[in-house]
Amino acid sequence: MDYSRWYIGDEVYYQHQTCANTVTNGNTYRVVKLVPNKPRHAFILDDSGREKLIQMSSFFVKVGGK
């Protein structure tokens, strides 16, 4: 598994506070869209079903996929 970039379909684990956020601590999400020329940025569908831009970090970690 390549942990240096996102791929469509990757599983993302969110591990941070949920205060005033549209994602929930401890939940997993799927990458649905990539950002051209930015392999560490992608879009997931948040808890409301809207696209949310994320960046690979200690908050959003890859737990499954390519």
Side-chain angles (χ1 to χ4, degrees):
M1 188 166 16
D2 183 358
Y3 289 99
S4 66
R5 63 181 300 127
W6 297 118
Y7 295 95
I8 291 178
D10 281 348
E11 272 188 59
V12 177
Y13 180 76
Y14 180 68
Q15 54 184 8
H16 193 57
Q17 299 176 26
T18 58
C19 181
N21 208 335
T22 59
V23 291
T24 304
N25 184 23
N27 280 1
T28 57
Y29 302 90
R30 286 219 180 266
V31 172
V32 295
K33 192 160 102 177
L34 302 176
V35 178
N37 301 318
K38 293 192 179 240
R40 296 176 48 86
H41 293 77
F43 287 91
I44 60 170
L45 294 180
D46 66 12
D47 294 335
S48 304
R50 290 178 281 173
E51 287 185 352
K52 178 178 181 66
L53 177 65
I54 63 167
Q55 178 179 354
M56 193 176 284
S57 66
S58 60
F59 299 159
F60 290 98
V61 293
K62 184 184 222 179
V63 293
K66 291 185 180 181

